[in-house]
Amino acid sequence: MPFLGQDWRSPGWSWIKTEDGWKRFEYLNHKLGDNINELTLEELDNDKENIYVGDVCEVAAKKRKKDFFNNNTKSQFFFQERWIYVQKESTRERHGYCTLGEAFNRLDFSSAIQDMRRFNYVIKLLQLIAKSQLTSLSGAAQKNYFNVLEKIVRKVLDDHHNPRLIKALLNDLSSTLCILIREVGKCVLIGNINIWVCRLETILNWQQQLNNLQIPKQVSNGMTLSDLPLHMQNNILFKFSDACDIISLGRTTPTLHMLSEDRQLWKKLCQFHFTEKQFCRHLILSEKGHVDWKLMFFTLQKYYPVKEQYGDTLQFCRHCSILFWNDSGHPCTANDPDSCLTPVSPQHFIDLFKF
């Protein structure tokens, strides 16, 4: 059967808004109808000139917009969106697919670092990208990556929050950049090699600033953690899931140091992060014949990954294939949207775009 009408894959008509409503916009078709003989050569030339001038103005406007965006190196993100559709293949309705760089550009990571619940999540995601996915990002995504990273460093230098995490991130990133610069030619780098050298110098400068960071002692006239009863301090320690945080807190006062060495605390930490089968394989006994749970934890950490906990994460809707921040929601068409949601860890975020 012959196909009658315009091809559904075409870009469609151009429309303009008038006082009488929307009308289809045509360049010369409205004049080249029945009155084609009445048109003079001069009128046709004028129309062609107007069309050419309009095209030139449109191209110039796009170029100015692009130049303004490229010069704005402190831009936070490209599109102010809280959710994106994760497309993994081309269909008749949709052409193309969503990449890791596009998702990183469009999701609001720049504002997410201002939220304490999402700060650790974004840091971990940047660290995973630095280890294995940095060269797979587009030039625009790499630029946005380092802009977000700069905002994180400035934030840590200002409020002294979580300098340990950003130091680990910068160490991994500097190691990756050193390998890329040293093996230039063996791998594909987007941009001039001088850009990557400049980025490495910037990272080394940030590391120096963080190493020289002096956190001032806070003077408070109210109640502090040390003023709480011992059982309350102990309950606070049992809420921690990060071993480094427990050790750091134990260095503040002799009382907290004693509580941080509690065997039951480290036993619970091992049971939280590892299965019984895992720590039975690496059983470590002390001189008194008891299980050294603290030493066991750091031994098991070398063989098995620890559980990750975040205050807030990205969510993935299996029904709509939409990735979004938890508080923003998305236009879901499922009968029970909550049953279709899956929390997305930083590693799962990267795995979503491996195809």
Side-chain angles (χ1 to χ4, degrees):
M1 180 177 178
F3 184 85
L4 302 178
Q6 191 178 13
D7 190 351
W8 62 272
R9 291 168 295 185
S10 66
W13 299 102
S14 298
W15 296 81
I16 58 174
K17 188 175 183 180
T18 64
E19 296 179 355
D20 300 329
W22 289 90
K23 292 185 178 181
R24 196 171 67 191
F25 177 73
E26 300 178 359
Y27 289 106
L28 294 175
N29 293 348
H30 66 288
K31 291 186 178 181
L32 297 180
D34 299 334
N35 300 328
I36 188 172
N37 296 327
E38 299 178 3
L39 291 176
T40 63
L41 183 61
E42 182 179 358
E43 290 176 343
L44 289 175
D45 291 339
N46 291 336
D47 287 335
K48 292 180 180 179
E49 183 179 356
N50 292 335
I51 294 173
Y52 175 75
V53 172
D55 292 341
V56 171
C57 292
E58 184 179 359
V59 172
K62 290 182 178 179
K63 187 176 185 303
R64 285 195 301 270
K65 184 178 180 181
K66 182 179 179 181
D67 291 342
F68 173 78
F69 178 77
N70 290 336
N71 293 332
N72 187 17
T73 57
K74 306 301 181 183
S75 59
Q76 298 180 1
F77 40 82
F78 294 85
F79 304 96
Q80 296 183 0
E81 297 182 8
R82 293 298 183 92
W83 59 268
I84 61 170
Y85 176 77
V86 180
Q87 183 176 348
K88 295 188 176 182
E89 59 183 4
S90 296
T91 62
R92 292 193 306 174
E93 292 77 15
R94 290 177 178 265
H95 178 68
Y97 53 89
C98 185
T99 62
L100 175 63
E102 182 182 357
F104 186 80
N105 287 338
R106 294 174 61 185
L107 289 172
D108 195 2
F109 286 102
S110 184
S111 299
I113 62 176
Q114 305 299 332
D115 192 335
M116 294 291 295
R117 302 170 302 167
R118 301 173 181 172
F119 185 83
N120 293 3
Y121 182 87
V122 178
I123 291 288
K124 183 63 177 180
L125 178 59
L126 294 181
Q127 192 172 14
L128 292 177
I129 292 177
K131 289 181 178 180
S132 60
Q133 301 295 323
L134 188 60
T135 55
S136 66
L137 300 179
S138 64
Q142 290 177 7
K143 184 177 180 180
N144 193 32
Y145 177 93
F146 285 97
N147 286 340
V148 174
L149 181 61
E150 182 179 0
K151 287 194 63 177
I152 294 175
V153 174
R154 298 305 173 196
K155 182 178 184 300
V156 172
L157 291 175
D158 291 339
D159 59 15
H160 306 150
H161 175 69
N162 271 339
R164 176 174 58 86
L165 296 180
I166 187 62
K167 286 181 179 179
L169 168 59
L170 293 180
N171 287 334
D172 292 337
L173 186 56
S174 61
S175 300
T176 301
L177 291 184
C178 287
I179 295 174
L180 293 177
I181 293 173
R182 185 171 61 250
E183 297 182 356
V184 60
K186 298 181 181 180
C187 58
V188 179
L189 295 180
I190 298 178
N192 191 283
I193 185 62
N194 295 328
I195 296 177
W196 293 90
V197 173
C198 182
R199 288 171 176 172
L200 179 58
E201 293 176 352
T202 303
I203 292 172
L204 295 177
N205 184 28
W206 289 341
Q207 288 179 315
Q208 186 65 30
Q209 295 181 38
L210 291 172
N211 291 333
N212 297 333
L213 180 64
Q214 298 292 334
I215 300 178
K217 183 178 180 180
Q218 296 183 356
V219 179
S220 176
N221 297 327
M223 181 177 291
T224 62
L225 181 63
S226 302
D227 298 330
L228 296 176
L230 287 180
H231 72 277
M232 296 185 67
Q233 297 184 38
N234 194 41
N235 290 337
I236 293 174
L237 280 172
F238 270 79
K239 298 296 182 181
F240 284 23
S241 61
D242 192 333
C244 294
D245 291 338
I246 295 177
I247 294 176
S248 298
L249 186 60
R251 294 172 179 172
T252 55
T253 63
T255 302
L256 288 173
H257 176 72
M258 177 192 66
L259 296 176
S260 66
E261 296 294 328
D262 184 13
R263 291 182 62 253
Q264 294 299 322
L265 173 64
W266 290 98
K267 179 181 179 180
K268 184 178 179 181
L269 199 64
C270 288
Q271 293 174 342
F272 174 77
H273 288 285
F274 311 106
T275 63
E276 183 177 357
K277 184 178 180 180
Q278 289 174 343
F279 55 73
C280 283
R281 293 178 180 176
H282 304 274
L283 198 62
I284 300 176
L285 301 178
S286 62
E287 296 178 355
K288 298 181 180 180
H290 301 295
V291 178
D292 193 340
W293 292 104
K294 182 178 180 180
L295 185 57
M296 269 192 59
F297 176 84
F298 290 103
T299 303
L300 292 170
Q301 196 177 24
K302 299 177 182 178
Y303 297 97
Y304 310 104
V306 296
K307 290 183 179 179
E308 298 178 356
Q309 274 194 327
Y310 304 101
D312 191 15
T313 66
L314 287 169
Q315 301 286 327
F316 181 73
C317 180
R318 300 184 301 275
H319 178 77
C320 306
S321 295
I322 286 180
L323 193 64
F324 64 98
W325 287 111
N326 197 23
D327 60 347
S328 62
H330 74 287
C332 187
T333 58
N335 295 328
D336 188 7
D338 294 337
S339 62
C340 303
L341 302 183
T342 301
V344 179
S345 66
Q347 184 61 54
H348 185 201
F349 178 86
I350 294 178
D351 294 339
L352 278 175
F353 305 98
K354 287 184 178 180
F355 40 80

